[in-house]
Structures are given as structure tokens and as C-alpha cells.
Amino acid sequence: MNLKNWLYLFWTTLLVGAVGSLAVGLILQWTDTVQLNGAVDFLVNVGILLGVGIMVSVYSQMGFFAYLMINYMGTGVFTRRTWQYVQIVLTALALLELMFFRTFVGEGQGGGSDIVLSAVILIVACAVAFYKAKLTNGTAWIPTLFFMIAVTIVEMIGVLKIGVNAATAWIVAPLLACNAYQILILHKVLKPAAPAGSAQNP
């Protein structure tokens, strides 16, 4: 990955995070009883939503590059098949942790909402993995599921401790969007450029 490709991935992921946070934040506030007074309050609110989305996207990118390093080390330490089994086990453990994390840490908080959150993340991860495999090949299934589930759950542990469902949705939605975008575009970013003057496939 050269500097140009990294900058493209960085700025586009920032945009995904900002737009995702703005959309989810406005929807949550529209369903809330709190009303904004005037255009100034609205603009300040939009700025806050965009800022949070940008911070979430940066956090997502940190997790993404950490995942790339972990995957690189995993393939170096284990055989290909063994590393796939390790990722499957870690993914399953992460889902179980998400289902019961706030129940143990938050003294009973979470419960059903965490199970719903786990189901949403699993569905999104399966959809992203299916599309990733369609774009590349079938071997992308397990790494994509591992990243979209295990890494996303690690990234969102902080917001789970807050114990507020609206805050969880506000952070998790753009986080999922950023993670999905990065894993889906990775093969395009890493694809070597065709030499100048070379024949192109129709």
C-alpha cells in the first residue's frame, strides 16, 4: 500500500464515519423529545455529530490496521487452516462476550438489548462477508467475519460500559459502516496499478 492509496482510504473512511454518525444521530434526535432551538443550535449539533463520526472513523482505522498486523502474524505463526480455526473460535467467543458483557460488568444492564446487538452485528458481518467473497474469493469469508465481529466488538467495548442504548447505536452504526467499507475496499486499494500502455481486459 503506497501513500496515495492510504490517503484515499483514510479520507474516504472519514467521510463514511461522518455521514454515518450524522444520519444515525439525526434519526435518534428526531425520535427523542429534545428539541433544538433555532438554526444555530442545529448547526452546532450537526458539527458535533460530524466530529464524533470522524473520531469513530479514526478509531475504526486504528482497529483495521491492527487487524491487518494480527492477520499477518497469525498467518506467519499458524498454518492457513489452523489460523482459520483460531479466527472462528475468537469470533464465537467475542459474540458470547457481547451477549453477556454488560450483564456481568454493568450489574444486570444490557440483557436483551445486547442479544439484539449481537444479532445485528452477526447479520451485518455475514452480509459483508458474502459480498467480500463475491468480490474476491471464498477464502475471504472467515477473515471478514473475524474482522467484522471480533474486531468490531473489541472496538466498541468502551461504549458498552456507558450502558445507554442510544449512545451504543450512535457509535456502533458508523463503526460498522467504516469497518465494512474498509474490508470491502481493501483488495482494490492493494491492487497494483496496471503498467502504462498495457492492454486492458474488456
Side-chain angles (χ1 to χ4, degrees):
M1 180 183 293
N2 56 37
L3 180 60
K4 180 180 178 181
N5 290 339
W6 177 79
L7 287 175
Y8 173 79
L9 181 63
F10 177 79
W11 290 112
T12 52
T13 306
L14 283 185
L15 180 61
V16 171
V19 172
S21 174
L22 178 62
V24 175
L26 290 178
I27 291 173
L28 290 174
Q29 291 178 357
W30 179 68
T31 59
D32 198 0
T33 56
V34 177
Q35 299 294 327
L36 299 175
N37 298 320
V40 175
D41 283 356
F42 177 78
L43 292 176
V44 170
N45 180 63
V46 168
I48 293 173
L49 295 177
L50 291 174
V52 170
I54 289 172
M55 289 189 292
V56 169
S57 72
V58 172
Y59 194 56
S60 169
Q61 293 181 67
M62 293 171 58
F64 182 62
F65 282 97
Y67 156 75
L68 293 179
M69 293 180 62
I70 292 172
N71 188 58
Y72 178 77
M73 291 187 292
T75 54
V77 174
F78 303 102
T79 64
R80 185 186 188 94
R81 184 174 295 275
T82 302
W83 178 233
Q84 288 182 336
Y85 291 145
V86 171
Q87 290 179 92
I88 292 172
V89 171
L90 292 176
T91 301
L93 290 175
L95 270 177
L96 290 174
E97 179 190 15
L98 177 58
M99 290 179 183
F100 304 108
F101 177 79
R102 283 192 287 192
T103 300
F104 295 114
V105 176
E107 301 180 356
Q109 296 179 7
S113 61
D114 285 345
I115 295 176
V116 172
L117 180 60
S118 302
V120 170
I121 291 177
L122 178 60
I123 292 171
V124 172
C126 288
V128 173
F130 174 80
Y131 191 51
K132 179 68 175 181
K134 187 176 180 180
L135 291 175
T136 55
N137 54 69
T139 60
W141 254 98
I142 294 176
T144 304
L145 284 177
F146 173 70
F147 174 67
M148 289 299 301
I149 295 176
V151 177
T152 299
I153 290 174
V154 170
E155 292 172 336
M156 56 186 278
I157 290 297
V159 72
L160 289 177
K161 292 181 180 179
I162 298 175
V164 178
N165 290 334
T168 301
W170 181 26
I171 300 301
V172 172
L175 182 62
L176 277 173
C178 289
N179 285 348
Y181 171 75
Q182 290 178 100
I183 198 69
L184 288 176
I185 202 174
L186 178 63
H187 66 283
K188 294 182 179 179
V189 173
L190 297 179
K191 184 178 180 181
S198 61
Q200 301 292 327
N201 293 327

